[in-house]
Amino acid sequence: MGWQKQGWLVCASFLGFLASVQSIRRDELFPFGPSARDQLLEAGNDQTHQLELSQPVLFYDGTFDSIFINSNGFVATAEPTSEATYLGKMPAKFGMIAALQGDLDTNDGVGKVYFREDSSPDVLRRAAEHINRAFPEDDEVDPTHAVVITWADVATHEPHTRGDGAPKKRNTFQLVLASLETASYAIVLYARDGIQFTSTPAGDTNAVMHAGFSKGLVRGFLLSRQGPYYRTTTDEEETVRALAEETNSGQRGVWVYEIGTSPYFTNVAPGEVTDLPTEAPAQASGGHEDADARRPVYTDGQVEYPPYQVEAEPIEVHPVQYQPHQPENPEVVVVDDTDINVDVFSYNLGTCANNRNKCSQFADCRDYSSGYCCHCRPGFYGNGIQCVAEGKPQRMNGKVHGKVFVGNSPSPVEFSSNDLHSYVVVNDGRSYVAISDIPYTVGPSLQPLTALGGVIGWAFALEQPGFRNGFSIIGGEFTRQAEVTFVPGNEKLTIRQEFKGIDEHDHLAVSTTLEGRVPEVPPGSTVQIDPYSEIYQYSNNLITSSSTRDYVVSLPDGSTDTRTYQWRQTITFQSCQHGEAMRDIKPTQMLSVDQVFAMYDANNELIRFAMSNKIGDVNGGEPVENPCFTGRHGCDTNAVCRPGEGTQFTCQCAAGFNGDGRTCYDIDECRENPQICGPNAICNNQPGTFRCECEDGYQFGGDGQTCVEVNRPVDPCEEGTHTCDIPERAQCSYTGGSSYICSCLPGFIGDGRVCEDIDECQPGRCHQDAVCINTQGSFTCQCRPGYYGDGFSCSSERTKTQCETHRDSLLGVTEFGPRGPRPPVGQYIPTCDENGAYNPMQCHDSTGHCWCVDRNGQEIPGTRSGPGSRPMCIENGGVPPPVGPRPRPDVDALPPGTHLLFAQSGRIEHVPLEGYDMKKDGAKAVLHLPEKVIIGVAYDCVEKMVYWTEITSPSISRANIQGGDPTAVIKSDLGSPEGIAIDHLGRTMFWTDSVKDRIEVASLDGSQRRVIVDTDLVNPRAIITDPANGNLYWADWNRDAPKIETSYMDGSNRRVLVKDDLGLPNGLTYDSQSSLLCWADAGTHKMECMNPGRGDRSKVLEGIQYPFGITSFGKNIYYTDWRRDAVVAVDRYAGRESDEFQPQKRTKLYGIATAYSQCPSGQNYCAVNNGGCTHLCLATPTGRSCKCPDNAVGCVE
């Protein structure tokens, strides 16, 4: 072969590597949807459609002229039995081809199942490419027929949940059955990010989803038995996640199987290319392994595999480097190093000009004659690809999987996504590790294994002079495998950990797998581990260590048992070969570990480890007394200790922090430089650093920094480019691509593009003594003058209401004068409105006192005012309900942008904002809730949900503003819920209850309720959160002692902020950009602000009338006013009103909230992994509190 031809092949092969190494994208699936002329399976749960085929499918040894497509992620060869017979009970009793089978649902209108027969040349060509790539040793095939089934955006079926439209996890996958005359193949494609959940409900538990093939029951002479089956996945959720990450066809996420042949069939044959093309092919070894050597053997319905043959010699591996970002200029480098036998990547040849974005944002790129390297800047350390600030504490998060046998037990304890958390105070080398959900059957026996978290101690160990810890050498991407052998029993445990680098939250991500057996440590025993040392040997891309460790088990009876295990580990990683960094590393270093602590907490099923780690000379070296090297310096945990002469030292705050080193404060880079992330980007401040994220509709470009617009299908319904009739008459439903459907709303008739009102006023619709009035999309019935009733039933006599009965009973015992009944002096007589309900404000004519009452006429404590003053009383929902068809109680989806949401009785409306100006012509009702009196409104910017409180039938509800039905999340143990606030970072909500006189918190789904304040409250109403700083603010408009208070989000550190010169402080808002807390007071008729940290109070505006709710956005404050029935905008810098919006419906306006297009910047300690809490995580200014819900069983704080 000539040199030019060789070079062409190398280049072509490399481009093939690039095409295959990434999982397939959704747009790389076979075409599907309306544009592909697919049929659509009927929406629902456990839906089946029989598809007659023009050419049969071969499955096992059968031939099938029709198949049954099911919404639960599979295709059957016979009518499926009910889902209760197969969910969580695989294999199925009928013929099943399971692409990803579970309890799925398409009722929500988002998930869809598409299918079609297809014999087009393009589809058959693509099918042939997948099949021939998967079976490279076989003759090439050319299918003549295909069936394409796509499960797009399907969600789990959740019969017991609320159905509130909250964003759900969704899976997308595709099955292609490709056939020729003598064989059929199944091609299953799992798109990148297409597997968002791995289990679905099955009875009272969850069942792991299943992929594979089952012939079903096979009839014998007398009985039927389970026929052969093949499982692609196991009962471990990791195997489901692996479907999008691994392959048997040479392309990640694509799986190919030969599922039927004619005239003879043996068993399902999986594709034979399980390796992804990121490494050079192995050298020929004198022959090929039999292609069928590892195919499954079926015996009595079970699957068995021939045993692996252990190689006598290690396999030679040739590491290969590729550049995924630069396919136009591929360079392949084969690294030969006879001293290393590990599978690693190396830095490629190239220059910084083309590879600078591969370095950390805290690193510089440097060119060398043979390539380039990344180097962390001063103040940071790492391998250049990953750099962290010196002195800053480090965190590690991950999951633990695997199976561990304990003692002589024949069955293992399984680990499935157990949480692992670790924290290291780098400037003293102290590390802490916790693993959750450890059952008591294995927990005590894991106590000797400090090695489970010991690697992070090595990675961030306190460095002695001239020595470097693990992270400063190899960064955060490496693989660590450890083998533990216990003596004398010879039990063996393998620990494999994949460290995946620093994630977007600045946490080191790790996946841990445990396999093997450990000796039993009896329950109730404790384990003591003495200080130990471990020698690490460093070479090119490989680190090894080994040691023998003793530990003492103190048994419950008081006796002790000294035991031993041997320890070997290897760490493989990627390093830069071009610079001098690795050559400067000492070949051996010693890790010294002391103050070792191990404990199993049986009550909380937690195992905890703690240890102090130092890295230094294997010979011990000279004694070091400088506090920086001993860890006894007293610097802040976010500071680095700088050694001086002798025992002198200084403390210096880590990068991203300010202070004197003894005390350090986080720098908010996003506030100091709002443009730091560039256009179309959002800056999120985090402790010691910040992160840039692209706005919706944008993604990072090739440089990894600039946000560019995403090209995606335009939803005409969302964009308003459809041809449907106006929203008041018609609904637009998006169906994918550029397609949509128009349909008239109830009460209208037409084709959806033109809808005309139906005149419902036909004879007999209303009572004979009533008048029918036709309205747009509805009608009403009203009794004629002199008659009473709801219009469907009218009578000349009206039934008295509770208020009227109360009033007339008092008037009935009074004296009668010439002008009718007159109550005696001093008698209180209730007043009723035109509908007979109690007026919300009642007054005593003789004394001049007024007070608020509930719907039953009972006085609301704390509302009574003196003569000449009137309390602000909320309507009690006494308005009679409308008659006839009601407006639909679902959400009219909002267009993109920032909006104001405000409540009126029976509805929530919105006003779009253009800049800070209200776009009044775009205002409309978002949600219709007839008969309800909505008080408080809050918005969750993460899930795009509006939350509200209502007092008619006291409850807290929510709905998605992008479209969906309202759902009550809390309906019990409420008196009068009024104010409501959301912590979008910690995923909790807070509300006030002016009847129960308390403040509560709960998860956003209404679970995990807890009362956090229940003393010294009279009329709490407004409440607001400051999530980034962990603070809560609320107002109590108690007539006798109004006040504004604050506390941490857990209710601790409660204190009064304002108590002087207040009247009726109804509304509160907090602006995180200016750190100002502002309120509107209907008693003093003022709007004021203060910085809660400084206590400086300033007036914004005087002379306002009756404000109720208040919110802020940028320079403006917006409030609702009861006197003006309006939303009023105030320019707080100019100190004047700038605009006013009066809704078409002129009634009292209540709560108001800002619906941000993007979440405000900031983080708190509950934003990641629930702060490590098992139940409620409630932020504080310096951390978080883990709290138990009220009446929780088995929860420990």
Side-chain angles (χ1 to χ4, degrees):
M1 183 182 291
W3 177 85
Q4 288 182 328
K5 191 172 183 179
Q6 284 181 329
W8 182 86
L9 280 178
V10 169
C11 181
S13 300
F14 181 74
L15 290 173
F17 294 168
L18 296 180
S20 302
V21 73
Q22 295 289 340
S23 301
I24 60 170
R25 301 189 306 272
R26 183 178 175 126
D27 59 3
E28 293 175 318
L29 300 176
F30 284 71
F32 68 91
S35 61
R37 301 185 181 277
D38 274 342
Q39 297 183 64
L40 182 63
L41 185 66
E42 182 179 352
N45 171 246
D46 199 16
Q47 294 292 325
T48 300
H49 176 84
Q50 183 176 3
L51 178 65
E52 300 292 339
L53 302 176
S54 59
Q55 181 174 327
V57 165
L58 306 178
F59 186 55
Y60 284 91
D61 53 1
T63 301
F64 300 91
D65 294 315
S66 66
I67 57 175
F68 295 83
I69 298 165
N70 189 276
S71 58
N72 280 341
F74 67 86
V75 170
T77 56
E79 180 80 35
T81 55
S82 69
E83 61 181 21
T85 64
Y86 60 81
L87 287 176
K89 304 173 184 177
M90 298 305 293
K93 305 301 182 184
F94 53 87
M96 175 186 285
I97 302 169
L100 191 55
Q101 175 261 320
D103 194 4
L104 306 177
D105 198 341
T106 58
N107 266 316
D108 58 10
V110 178
K112 292 180 172 60
V113 181
Y114 299 102
F115 60 92
R116 72 178 184 279
E117 284 192 278
D118 198 327
S119 299
S120 63
D122 180 62
V123 166
L124 297 180
R125 175 187 58 78
R126 291 182 61 178
E129 289 176 353
H130 287 302
I131 296 169
N132 295 326
R133 186 178 63 248
F135 298 100
E137 303 295 328
D138 297 350
D139 294 335
E140 291 194 354
V141 300
D142 291 304
T144 59
H145 175 262
V147 182
V148 182
I149 308 104
T150 309
W151 290 264
D153 300 315
V154 292
T156 60
H157 175 58
E158 299 175 345
H160 303 301
T161 57
R162 305 171 311 278
D164 52 19
K168 301 177 180 177
K169 293 183 178 180
R170 300 183 181 278
N171 287 352
T172 296
F173 50 93
Q174 190 174 66
L175 169 66
V176 179
L177 300 176
S179 301
L180 50 157
E181 187 175 354
T182 58
S184 288
Y185 295 85
I187 307 167
V188 197
L189 305 96
Y190 304 94
R192 187 188 313 168
D193 298 328
I195 299 180
Q196 298 181 2
F197 60 90
T198 56
S199 63
T200 60
D204 296 329
T205 63
N206 271 15
V208 176
M209 301 184 76
H210 171 77
F213 309 89
S214 171
K215 183 178 179 179
L217 293 179
V218 176
R219 294 188 179 276
F221 180 69
L222 293 175
L223 301 172
S224 296
R225 63 179 177 86
Q226 178 64 50
Y229 61 92
Y230 179 96
R231 295 188 68 171
T232 305
T233 57
T234 70
D235 292 331
E236 299 291 334
E237 295 190 49
E238 280 297 300
T239 63
V240 181
R241 297 188 188 95
L243 292 174
E245 301 296 330
E246 298 177 5
T247 183
N248 69 5
S249 72
Q251 182 172 4
R252 195 188 302 272
V254 180
W255 301 74
V256 180
Y257 304 86
E258 184 182 63
I259 60 173
T261 55
S262 178
Y264 305 107
F265 178 78
T266 53
N267 30 42
V268 170
E272 299 165 356
V273 185
T274 57
D275 294 329
L276 292 169
T278 58
E279 56 185 47
Q283 299 295 322
S285 57
H288 295 287
E289 182 183 352
D290 183 358
D292 293 322
R294 289 294 297 160
R295 291 188 179 182
V297 177
Y298 298 82
T299 58
D300 295 327
Q302 301 300 313
V303 185
E304 297 180 0
Y305 288 89
Y308 279 108
Q309 297 298 319
V310 179
E311 299 288 344
E313 297 294 332
I315 301 172
E316 184 179 5
V317 178
H318 294 268
V320 175
Q321 169 66 22
Y322 66 95
Q323 285 186 321
H325 295 296
Q326 303 201 11
E328 72 280 359
N329 182 29
E331 301 174 8
V332 179
V333 179
V334 178
V335 180
D336 292 318
D337 191 328
T338 57
D339 295 330
I340 308 173
N341 187 23
V342 292
D343 179 13
V344 297
F345 295 120
S346 73
Y347 272 81
N348 197 356
L349 296 173
T351 64
C352 291
N354 297 325
N355 295 281
R356 192 177 307 276
N357 65 317
K358 294 182 181 178
C359 298
S360 164
Q361 62 176 322
F362 306 117
D364 296 315
C365 186
R366 190 178 305 166
D367 285 319
Y368 296 89
S369 59
S370 57
Y372 70 92
C373 286
C374 304
H375 299 280
C376 296
R377 296 171 187 152
F380 297 86
Y381 64 100
N383 66 344
I385 303 295
Q386 308 243 317
C387 300
V388 296
E390 292 180 345
K392 181 183 174 185
Q394 297 300 323
R395 298 176 184 271
M396 178 175 76
N397 290 327
K399 300 290 185 180
V400 180
H401 302 271
K403 298 178 181 179
V404 176
F405 294 84
V406 178
N408 297 319
S409 173
S411 57
V413 176
E414 298 193 14
F415 295 83
S416 179
S417 295
N418 297 60
D419 286 326
L420 183 153
H421 299 286
S422 182
Y423 178 79
V424 185
V425 182
V426 176
N427 60 23
D428 66 9
R430 186 74 174 163
S431 63
Y432 305 86
V433 179
I435 306 175
S436 63
D437 299 322
I438 305 294
Y440 71 93
T441 53
V442 70
S445 303
L446 294 181
Q447 292 179 97
L449 293 174
T450 56
L452 283 172
V455 67
I456 195 172
W458 163 78
F460 298 105
L462 183 62
E463 297 172 335
Q464 301 302 292
F467 294 86
R468 295 167 62 186
N469 61 29
F471 192 91
S472 66
I473 299 172
I474 69 174
E477 295 184 39
F478 56 91
T479 299
R480 178 248 202 159
Q481 181 155 320
E483 293 181 358
V484 186
T485 303
F486 295 85
V487 292
N490 206 38
E491 298 93 345
K492 294 183 183 294
L493 179 72
T494 300
I495 304 171
R496 180 176 175 84
Q497 293 181 300
E498 294 284 344
F499 288 82
K500 304 172 183 178
I502 302 293
D503 64 15
E504 67 272 18
H505 304 293
D506 269 352
H507 295 174
L508 183 59
V510 63
S511 174
T512 302
T513 303
L514 306 178
E515 297 287 347
R517 187 179 296 273
V518 298
E520 183 179 13
V521 173
S525 302
T526 60
V527 171
Q528 177 183 341
I529 302 170
D530 291 332
Y532 61 87
S533 297
E534 191 173 344
I535 295 177
Y536 282 73
Q537 297 176 327
Y538 298 75
S539 59
N540 220 4
N541 290 346
L542 178 68
I543 301 171
T544 61
S545 73
S546 60
S547 66
T548 299
R549 299 183 191 171
D550 295 331
Y551 60 97
V552 178
V553 179
S554 297
L555 300 169
D557 62 5
S559 62
T560 60
D561 183 11
T562 300
R563 303 180 183 181
T564 302
Y565 63 77
Q566 297 170 347
W567 164 267
R568 295 179 57 196
Q569 75 169 345
T570 58
I571 297 172
T572 57
F573 60 98
Q574 170 189 352
S575 66
C576 185
Q577 306 296 310
H578 311 301
E580 302 292 328
M582 288 303 297
R583 298 170 197 171
D584 296 337
I585 301 302
K586 292 179 170 59
T588 58
Q589 297 189 105
M590 185 169 71
L591 179 71
S592 299
V593 181
D594 59 14
Q595 301 179 57
V596 184
F597 168 82
M599 183 193 76
Y600 175 64
D601 181 349
N603 291 330
N604 292 308
E605 295 191 327
L606 284 172
I607 190 163
R608 304 178 189 273
F609 302 104
M611 62 203 78
S612 295
N613 310 271
K614 297 176 184 176
I615 194 81
D617 194 338
V618 294
N619 297 314
E622 294 294 325
V624 176
E625 298 298 331
N626 191 289
C628 290
F629 303 125
T630 64
R632 296 187 293 271
H633 44 66
C635 297
D636 189 274
T637 55
N638 292 299
V640 61
C641 182
R642 302 289 187 195
E645 293 292 333
T647 59
Q648 298 298 310
F649 68 95
T650 58
C651 298
Q652 178 183 339
C653 290
F657 293 87
N658 273 334
D660 60 4
R662 298 283 181 175
T663 304
C664 298
Y665 305 93
D666 176 50
I667 299 172
D668 189 342
E669 294 88 351
C670 301
R671 182 176 297 179
E672 293 192 356
N673 184 2
Q675 306 304 317
I676 194 170
C677 288
N680 306 312
I682 303 165
C683 180
N684 286 324
N685 185 60
Q686 294 178 346
T689 185
F690 65 95
R691 294 280 175 180
C692 298
E693 298 175 5
C694 293
E695 296 176 348
D696 283 347
Y698 293 84
Q699 64 184 15
F700 286 117
D703 62 359
Q705 299 176 356
T706 306
C707 293
V708 297
E709 193 166 6
V710 177
N711 292 323
R712 57 185 178 185
V714 176
D715 180 352
C717 298
E718 181 178 315
E719 297 294 323
T721 57
H722 59 83
T723 58
C724 302
D725 207 336
I726 61 175
E728 287 75 18
R729 292 195 289 262
Q731 178 179 2
C732 178
S733 302
Y734 181 53
T735 57
S738 58
S739 304
Y740 58 92
I741 297 173
C742 300
S743 54
C744 294
L745 295 176
F748 297 89
I749 190 171
D751 61 1
R753 287 173 168 77
V754 177
C755 298
E756 297 180 353
D757 175 52
I758 299 173
D759 187 352
E760 294 92 346
C761 286
Q762 305 302 320
R765 265 298 174 96
C766 302
H767 190 269
Q768 61 183 3
D769 294 317
V771 176
C772 181
I773 303 172
N774 185 59
T775 61
Q776 285 289 301
S778 184
F779 70 96
T780 58
C781 296
Q782 292 182 358
C783 293
R784 300 178 188 276
Y787 292 86
Y788 305 92
D790 60 7
F792 291 111
S793 175
C794 298
S795 171
S796 58
E797 295 184 1
R798 175 181 165 190
T799 302
K800 291 183 180 181
T801 65
Q802 179 183 354
C803 179
E804 291 169 334
T805 301
H806 183 191
R807 179 193 62 194
D808 294 347
S809 67
L810 295 174
L811 291 174
V813 297
T814 60
E815 301 174 0
F816 281 81
R819 289 184 296 276
R822 291 182 300 167
V825 176
Q827 176 70 55
Y828 155 67
I829 301 295
T831 57
C832 310
D833 64 16
E834 66 273 14
N835 298 300
Y838 284 99
N839 281 319
M841 183 178 70
Q842 297 286 323
C843 295
H844 195 298
D845 290 338
S846 299
T847 66
H849 289 92
C850 295
W851 58 92
C852 301
V853 297
D854 61 18
R855 65 179 64 84
N856 296 316
Q858 298 298 310
E859 180 176 350
I860 299 174
T863 60
R864 185 174 289 260
S865 64
S869 178
R870 295 289 187 270
M872 294 183 66
C873 302
I874 296 171
E875 301 286 350
N876 295 313
V879 179
V883 178
R886 313 270 178 87
R888 302 187 328 159
D890 56 0
V891 172
D892 283 332
L894 295 185
T898 297
H899 306 261
L900 298 178
L901 300 171
F902 62 90
Q904 282 186 294
S905 183
R907 67 170 65 185
I908 295 176
E909 299 200 22
H910 91 102
V911 186
L913 293 179
E914 187 170 30
Y916 302 119
D917 298 330
M918 294 185 287
K919 296 174 61 178
K920 304 174 190 178
D921 55 351
K924 67 174 183 179
V926 178
L927 190 64
H928 296 272
L929 297 163
E931 306 176 52
K932 306 294 185 184
V933 177
I934 302 169
I935 304 301
V937 180
Y939 180 68
D940 173 26
C941 58
V942 176
E943 296 183 332
K944 312 294 185 185
M945 304 281 283
V946 58
Y947 289 73
W948 65 91
T949 62
E950 69 97 359
I951 61 171
T952 315
S953 52
S955 62
I956 298 174
S957 305
R958 67 179 181 180
N960 193 300
I961 66 166
Q962 295 175 332
D965 294 327
T967 302
V969 293
I970 295 180
K971 296 185 289 185
S972 63
D973 196 23
L974 295 172
S976 180
E978 297 185 11
I980 184 169
I982 303 294
D983 173 7
H984 68 280
L985 300 175
R987 316 306 297 143
T988 51
M989 61 178 170
F990 300 79
W991 71 92
T992 59
D993 192 316
S994 65
V995 170
K996 301 283 187 180
D997 291 337
R998 67 192 185 195
I999 297 173
E1000 289 190 70
V1001 64
S1003 297
L1004 291 181
D1005 62 1
S1007 65
Q1008 306 197 77
R1009 286 177 64 175
R1010 178 184 176 94
V1011 176
I1012 58 172
V1013 178
D1014 61 357
T1015 60
D1016 197 24
L1017 293 176
V1018 178
N1019 290 115
R1021 178 173 290 162
I1023 189 168
I1024 199 73
T1025 60
D1026 173 15
N1029 294 310
N1031 288 319
L1032 192 65
Y1033 303 96
W1034 67 89
D1036 186 332
W1037 61 275
N1038 174 18
R1039 278 285 187 180
D1040 297 327
K1043 59 186 174 181
I1044 297 173
E1045 293 188 272
T1046 184
S1047 73
Y1048 297 162
M1049 285 188 169
D1050 62 358
S1052 65
N1053 197 35
R1054 178 184 177 185
R1055 58 202 185 279
V1056 175
L1057 285 177
V1058 184
K1059 62 179 179 179
D1060 298 325
D1061 193 23
L1062 291 177
L1064 289 173
N1066 270 327
L1068 282 179
T1069 185
Y1070 181 81
D1071 177 33
S1072 59
Q1073 293 298 315
S1074 62
S1075 299
L1076 288 180
L1077 177 72
C1078 301
W1079 65 92
D1081 193 315
T1084 63
H1085 306 294
K1086 295 178 184 177
M1087 183 179 292
E1088 298 182 82
C1089 293
M1090 73 177 301
N1091 185 309
R1094 296 197 299 262
D1096 49 347
R1097 181 174 174 180
S1098 61
K1099 181 183 65 180
V1100 176
L1101 189 65
E1102 283 188 295
I1104 57 178
Q1105 297 186 33
Y1106 273 86
F1108 188 89
I1110 181 173
T1111 188
S1112 57
F1113 181 63
K1115 68 171 185 175
N1116 276 4
I1117 294 175
Y1118 306 87
Y1119 71 93
T1120 56
D1121 192 292
W1122 275 17
R1123 283 271 178 86
R1124 298 158 70 171
D1125 294 334
V1127 177
V1128 183
V1130 175
D1131 186 328
R1132 60 176 175 165
Y1133 297 128
R1136 59 178 177 81
E1137 294 183 358
S1138 57
D1139 201 359
E1140 177 186 88
F1141 168 68
Q1142 288 184 320
Q1144 185 175 4
K1145 180 182 179 182
R1146 298 296 297 275
T1147 60
K1148 288 178 180 177
L1149 278 58
Y1150 292 92
I1152 186 170
T1154 305
Y1156 298 96
S1157 60
Q1158 297 292 330
C1159 288
S1161 62
Q1163 285 289 325
N1164 67 27
Y1165 285 84
C1166 295
V1168 180
N1169 292 325
N1170 197 41
C1173 299
T1174 58
H1175 292 79
L1176 282 170
C1177 180
L1178 303 175
T1180 65
T1182 57
R1184 55 87 177 106
S1185 291
C1186 294
K1187 294 295 185 181
C1188 294
D1190 292 336
N1191 303 319
V1193 177
C1195 175
V1196 179
E1197 295 181 355

